[in-house]
Amino acid sequence: MQLPRNMMDMYFGYNFRVGDAKGTKESIVEFEQIAQNASSAEEKERYAQAAKQLRTKVLPQMEKEMEQLGKQLGLKAGQIGTEVELTGDSLSNLAIKKDRYGELSAVTPYETGSFYHNKI
């Protein structure tokens, strides 16, 4: 399925951020477990600090970007955080329309650097 460049950037950017956020959450759990079972105080401190930094700085930024991209795609609040596919019923959830030639475009024009909003 052919996506215009700006839609492709939003679509892939959103899905990458969803995967990044999930991976970061898994890393936080892993680092906390390593910190609990560490053999030295130094190792325990390093992993605890890494988990704290991921939880307080990195993950919130990823979630903010994921939310922004999800809004640009036209996702509802309950849909943000799950991967989006452009097949089947997924299109009805997005702010994307398919023309009679099968090409996809935004329901309303997308402007770089701004949140998507439905002007209808």
Side-chain angles (χ1 to χ4, degrees):
M1 190 170 291
Q2 186 70 24
L3 279 175
R5 184 176 177 90
N6 56 1
M7 293 301 296
M8 185 174 64
D9 291 345
M10 286 189 298
Y11 171 75
F12 285 115
Y14 171 77
N15 280 336
F16 283 138
R17 273 297 171 232
V18 169
D20 290 345
K22 287 180 182 179
T24 300
K25 289 175 185 177
E26 292 171 3
S27 295
I28 291 169
V29 170
E30 184 178 342
F31 286 177
E32 288 173 341
Q33 289 175 350
I34 292 171
Q36 289 176 352
N37 301 322
S39 57
S40 69
E42 181 185 344
E43 184 180 19
K44 182 177 184 173
E45 179 62 28
R46 275 196 331 249
Y47 280 101
Q49 189 66 25
K52 180 181 177 185
Q53 187 173 9
L54 285 174
R55 190 180 323 100
T56 60
K57 294 182 181 178
V58 176
L59 185 59
Q61 181 63 32
M62 286 181 181
E63 289 175 337
K64 180 181 174 183
E65 292 171 7
M66 177 177 57
E67 184 176 343
Q68 180 180 5
L69 289 165
K71 286 179 180 179
Q72 289 172 338
L73 285 171
L75 297 176
K76 298 175 185 166
Q79 297 168 319
I80 294 177
T82 58
E83 291 182 24
V84 173
E85 295 182 20
L86 294 178
T87 56
D89 297 332
S90 297
L91 283 178
S92 63
N93 297 329
L94 302 179
I96 297 174
K97 63 181 177 182
K98 189 188 300 187
D99 67 12
R100 61 184 176 160
Y101 303 109
E103 292 186 12
L104 300 175
S105 62
V107 173
T108 56
Y110 168 71
E111 298 173 15
T112 304
S114 65
F115 282 102
Y116 172 85
H117 58 91
N118 197 342
K119 298 177 186 175
I120 296 173

